[in-house]
Amino acid sequence: MNAPAESPATYFVTGCAGFIANRVAGLLLDAGHKVVGVDNVNDYYDTSLKEHRLEKLQSDRFTFHRVDIEDQDALAKLFDADQFDAVFNLAARAGVRYSMENPHIYLTTNSLGSLNLLHQMRRTGVKKYVLASTSSLYAGQPMPFNESLPVNTPISPYAASKKGAEVMAYSHHHLYQIDVSICRYFTVYGPAGRPDMSIFRFIRWIDAGVPIQLFGDGEQSRDFTYVDDIARGTILAAKPLGYEIINLGGGGTPVSLNTLIGMLEDRLGKKAVIEYLPFHQADMMTTSADITKAGDLLGWKPQVSLEQGLDESVRWYQTNKPWSKEIVLP
């Protein structure tokens, strides 16, 4: 893995008990860097999974703080205690549907939390900011989605909160010369994934013989991207770039949920029972990433196929029985 700095550096990683940030922190530690991680370990989904991830980060170069990025005073203490080479802001309230039920917390975490970090960076002279954003911003745009498309019509509070974080990062780049890389992720999956995401749910439900709740006819499709590929791209984005928005996605042909279910049936040796529900108005029918820019700027392309990634995801689930099947789904 290419590290973002040739010599050991110190990185601030938010959301490190979360799915993607945990893998980013792990790869940074593997490369010999020091990581200061924060997470509020909220109960949006079962905290036992978050604790499971944190256990993997045990290192004398890793320091964890149970801190919320909405807490400006707590952040100030951490920024005063260390000089960071870059901030990876991967803490977020995620999930399109839940953002319709509780939009306020999405705004305070995803937008205000991002502003808090930028303020601390400006105050202490940290010059590099890597922000996790989302392909949900591309709703209604022509595919494959590229970074030059106007994304001014978000169709969920989640997407709107991420748009707010992006433009606030731009203003700080313009005013205070903070170097910003915004990574727009496309349907990330893999071992120890978020239990509100389709792949985790489908594995659980197929294995248990519980009906899969499928919103729509199953022909909606996604550009699935394995978590290790996403983490690698995020770390590579810590190089000086000025201000850039970069898609990190599978970059291939989108795969339908019906096809995905069939692939999981093969791996689990069980047939799915499907309960069809109305298509959700906040969902996108299809996502497809143009990843040309990631290749040009970062030398990045995905390395793990969907077949390999599903093998690893099912293997993790089966290895971690019985406790993984007891995780409470949001």
Side-chain angles (χ1 to χ4, degrees):
M1 184 204 74
N2 293 324
E6 292 182 1
S7 57
T10 301
Y11 295 105
F12 191 73
V13 180
T14 72
C16 64
F19 178 37
I20 300 170
N22 186 260
R23 198 70 192 104
V24 168
L27 291 182
L28 288 171
L29 291 170
D30 289 347
H33 301 295
K34 177 182 175 183
V35 174
V36 176
V38 300
D39 200 297
N40 67 358
V41 196
N42 66 65
D43 62 357
Y44 168 60
Y45 59 80
D46 198 323
T47 57
S48 65
L49 182 55
K50 299 181 180 184
E51 299 293 348
H52 167 75
R53 297 189 190 116
L54 285 172
E55 289 172 3
K56 297 188 296 181
L57 297 180
Q58 299 302 315
S59 167
D60 58 3
R61 287 176 285 104
F62 176 68
T63 307
F64 174 66
H65 301 273
R66 198 171 292 251
V67 164
D68 194 317
I69 61 171
E70 295 182 38
D71 187 339
Q72 187 77 268
D73 292 339
L75 288 178
K77 293 176 182 177
L78 297 179
F79 275 77
D80 287 338
D82 273 293
Q83 181 61 40
F84 300 116
D85 293 274
V87 170
F88 291 88
N89 182 19
L90 284 77
R93 293 284 180 161
V96 167
R97 293 171 194 161
Y98 186 63
S99 74
M100 298 173 65
E101 299 176 25
N102 195 353
H104 294 86
I105 201 165
Y106 279 71
L107 184 66
T108 55
T109 298
N110 297 356
S111 299
L112 180 60
S114 185
L115 173 59
N116 288 344
L117 290 164
L118 288 162
H119 174 71
Q120 295 302 328
M121 291 177 65
R122 176 192 171 197
R123 185 179 67 83
T124 58
V126 182
K127 290 300 184 183
K128 182 67 196 191
Y129 186 57
V130 181
L131 172 67
S133 192
T134 175
S135 61
S136 296
L137 286 169
Y138 290 117
Q141 302 293 329
M143 290 188 301
F145 301 137
N146 69 66
E147 298 88 344
S148 65
L149 291 167
V151 289
N152 300 316
T153 55
I155 63 171
S156 69
Y158 167 60
S161 69
K162 281 297 192 180
K163 174 69 173 180
E166 288 192 3
V167 296
M168 190 62 70
Y170 179 79
S171 69
H172 279 67
H173 164 71
H174 175 74
L175 294 171
Y176 310 117
Q177 294 73 56
I178 292 176
D179 194 289
V180 175
S181 297
I182 293 170
C183 299
R184 289 182 179 160
Y185 299 151
F186 283 71
T187 314
V188 189
Y189 75 99
R194 274 178 32 218
D196 62 324
M197 296 289 285
S198 60
I199 288 179
F200 193 110
R201 286 172 174 260
F202 291 172
I203 292 172
R204 276 272 302 271
W205 287 334
I206 293 170
D207 184 59
V210 174
I212 287 177
Q213 295 179 339
L214 194 58
F215 293 86
D217 62 3
E219 283 306 299
Q220 60 265 47
S221 57
R222 293 290 181 267
D223 200 339
F224 293 101
T225 321
Y226 191 65
V227 63
D228 283 24
D229 285 330
I230 289 287
R232 283 191 307 102
T234 301
I235 292 170
L236 290 170
K239 67 190 292 188
L241 290 171
Y243 178 91
E244 293 289 351
I245 298 171
I246 305 166
N247 287 340
L248 296 180
T253 303
V255 175
S256 74
L257 295 187
N258 287 330
T259 299
L260 176 71
I261 290 168
M263 295 172 74
L264 291 174
E265 288 175 328
D266 291 342
R267 284 158 176 77
L268 291 163
K270 298 181 180 180
K271 292 293 293 182
V273 179
I274 300 176
E275 176 187 354
Y276 292 96
L277 300 170
F279 186 76
H280 199 285
Q281 64 178 344
D283 282 346
M284 297 168 67
M285 190 64 193
T286 306
T287 63
S288 179
D290 182 336
I291 57 172
T292 304
K293 192 173 184 181
D296 292 343
L297 292 181
L298 308 179
W300 177 90
K301 64 179 180 179
Q303 296 178 353
V304 180
S305 68
L306 182 58
E307 290 78 9
Q308 293 172 297
L310 292 181
D311 287 344
E312 291 300 319
S313 300
V314 171
R315 185 177 298 116
W316 176 86
Y317 171 78
Q318 292 173 330
T319 299
N320 289 284
K321 282 184 177 183
W323 78 267
S324 64
K325 69 179 182 180
E326 302 302 326
I327 291 171
V328 177
L329 300 180

